Amino acid sequence: MSAFLLTGGRVIDPATGRDETADVLIRDGVITGIGKRLDTKGAETIDVAGAVVSPGFVDLHTHVREPGREDEETIASASAAAAAGGFTAICAMPNTDPVADSAAVVEKVWALGREAGLVEVMVAGALSKNLEGKKMADIGEMVRSFARVRLFTDDGHGVQDALFVRRTMEYLVAFDAIYAEHCEDAALAEGGQMHEGERSAALGLRGIPAEAEELMAVRDLALAKLTGCRLHLLHISTAGTVELVRRAKAEGVTVTAEATPHHFSLTDDALGDYDPNAKVNPPLRTEEDRAAIVAGLADGTIDAIATDHAPHADHEKDQELLYAPPGMIGLETALGLGITNLVEPGHLGLPVLIDRMATAPARILGLAGQGSLVEGGPANVTVFDPAAKWIVDPTTMHSKSRNTPVLGTELHGKVVHVFFRGTHTVTDGRVASEALV
Ligand code: DOR
């Protein structure tokens, strides 16, 4: 039995349009009241005046690395990092070892997520066996497993064979499941270390052209239209892809898209000193692309912000760019980057940021009880101080990896409290100690 009364915060819920100063009462895992003059008997009062009370964030794109690379991240450590970042749900990507392409593996990941107990761990299944893009994974089995998989992707690789895409989309329609693509034409991207442009030419590095992403987006949008399958475009990074999604939505194609905090915050300038932590797939692009991502998030062309949290071991990142694996961590910096680079410059307001980080991703995944603050619903709640300034400090992060180029930078906006199904998982910015690994 537990009860908490959050008093005096700005309660923002994009799902209902609520944006007002109100108290929130959480009792035994459920939001039992939002407003004033609530029945607060026995509740622990937490003063959150000056802070925002929001639905817990939902990350559509987290690399948990378990099974296989538990030295880089585990489901427990990813859950702790997620809670610290204000998330109450994450979607675990299938590029583990073994790959999550069968009921056995997705159920294992799902069970470990339940055991960690800090966030809801949804599991994404692979589209193809071993992410090879050739033989379909055990999709029906994964849908019907305890993990109830709804989103399928070969993330980390684009699926190269158009016929495979068509057949898989046709199959997914029967389950109302989502085909999620990492748009990258392998031949065009071959050997690329960063975005192909003036910067890559100046640095003498082989680039990945914007067209490597856009050609695959064109193909998948056409096939989604043909098959009626729900398509989700992962981590879109170019102005051209934003425009393709905008046009496809206007035509009624069932497509959603996500963008990462690093693609709305950074450009290929970050590779200037050959920093391996700035190497990511798709690559950081130009200022024009970054601005298009921001505009797409503001007008809703891009539905969701997703971290693409991709932990890598120091010994692998700390080598020449050519040999360093792509990816950066992002769960603990997503809110700060959103407030610092989207809200403070005036590109979008806090309610829209919360929609992109909580309400829209919950809707895409069909997650009941996430992404909204409703009386009678599960208490998945994040409280953050939008004005708090902090430095990204590698010594206080919860992920097992530290690969991000934003270490040492100042961000604005900090998570103060998180409640996951009513359990106080983050208190005054600290993850519940019994949950730490
Ligand atoms: O940079 C990336 N790293 N992009 C991906 O799509 C995969 C990810 C990883 O798994 O490291």
Side-chain angles (χ1 to χ4, degrees), residues 25 29 37 43 47 58 100 104 107 111 128 132 174 199 211 218 228 269 283-284 297-298 305 359 377 395 421:
L25 184 61
R37 287 183 291 281
D47 178 3
V58 175
E107 284 187 346
S128 70
E132 285 166 2
R199 267 266 162 215
E211 287 76 5
V218 168
D269 275 350
L284 300 172
L297 281 165
I305 292 170
T359 308
T395 65
R421 295 181 180 146

Side-chain angles (χ1 to χ4, degrees), residues 87-144:
F87 293 88
T88 52
I90 59 175
C91 183
M93 288 292 112
N95 63 339
T96 47
D97 184 12
V99 169
D101 57 7
S102 66
V105 180
V106 295
E107 284 187 346
K108 181 73 186 168
V109 173
W110 175 80
L112 288 168
R114 297 239 324 179
E115 203 174 286
L118 282 171
V119 294
E120 186 168 353
V121 178
M122 296 291 293
V123 189
L127 290 161
S128 70
K129 276 278 170 203
N130 211 27
L131 307 174
E132 285 166 2
K134 294 196 170 85
K135 193 167 176 289
M136 217 184 281
D138 300 334
I139 287 174
E141 220 181 66
M142 288 189 271
V143 170
R144 284 187 288 260

Side-chain angles (χ1 to χ4, degrees), residues 16-63:
T16 56
R18 186 192 293 270
D19 184 355
E20 61 180 353
T21 301
D23 298 343
V24 176
L25 184 61
I26 298 170
R27 238 182 234 292
D28 298 330
V30 173
I31 298 174
T32 51
I34 303 175
K36 297 266 155 59
R37 287 183 291 281
L38 304 170
D39 174 14
T40 61
K41 199 157 26 86
E44 177 188 335
T45 300
I46 303 173
D47 178 3
V48 296
V52 171
V53 182
S54 144
F57 307 143
V58 175
D59 189 26
L60 290 171
H61 196 142
T62 310
H63 293 277

Side-chain angles (χ1 to χ4, degrees), residues 61 63 65 95 155-156 182 235 280-282 308 310 312 326-328:
H61 196 142
H63 293 277
R65 300 291 189 235
N95 63 339
D155 181 59
H182 169 123
H235 46 46
V280 66
N281 244 352
D308 195 5
H312 286 291
M328 56 180 84

Side-chain angles (χ1 to χ4, degrees), residues 156-245:
H157 311 267
V159 179
Q160 303 301 310
D161 179 342
L163 183 59
F164 179 90
V165 177
R166 176 186 182 172
R167 295 287 178 241
T168 310
M169 283 185 174
E170 285 168 345
Y171 192 62
L172 288 169
V173 169
F175 302 104
D176 193 27
I178 303 168
Y179 182 106
E181 188 77 272
H182 169 123
C183 291
E184 184 181 294
D185 180 284
L188 283 176
E190 176 68 33
Q193 304 300 310
M194 63 179 295
H195 173 67
E196 179 181 304
E198 279 174 30
R199 267 266 162 215
S200 63
L203 293 170
L205 292 171
R206 183 183 290 218
I208 301 174
E211 287 76 5
E213 174 172 307
E214 293 159 5
L215 284 178
M216 194 167 280
V218 168
R219 180 200 69 184
D220 283 6
L221 289 165
L223 293 173
K225 195 170 170 182
L226 176 69
T227 61
C229 184
R230 296 173 62 192
L231 171 66
H232 180 70
L233 298 184
L234 302 162
H235 46 46
I236 67 170
S237 68
T238 80
T241 311
V242 177
E243 193 47 35
L244 286 165
V245 173

Side-chain angles (χ1 to χ4, degrees), residues 346-435:
H347 300 303
L348 43 86
L350 281 171
V352 176
L353 180 72
I354 294 169
D355 178 71
R356 308 299 185 251
M357 291 188 70
T359 308
R363 190 173 52 237
I364 290 169
L365 281 179
L367 281 186
Q370 297 275 1
S372 63
L373 297 174
V374 287
E375 291 183 31
N380 293 311
V381 181
T382 287
V383 179
F384 63 89
D385 178 351
K389 298 183 176 166
W390 58 289
I391 306 283
V392 183
D393 176 356
T395 65
T396 59
M397 297 179 101
H398 299 80
S399 171
K400 281 194 168 191
S401 296
R402 295 290 181 275
N403 53 299
T404 165
V406 302
L407 292 178
T409 59
E410 183 182 275
L411 296 180
H412 300 173
K414 196 158 178 30
V415 174
V416 189
H417 296 282
V418 182
F419 296 86
F420 170 54
R421 295 181 180 146
T423 299
H424 203 176
T425 51
V426 176
T427 306
D428 294 324
R430 284 188 304 279
V431 178
S433 57
E434 68 271 20

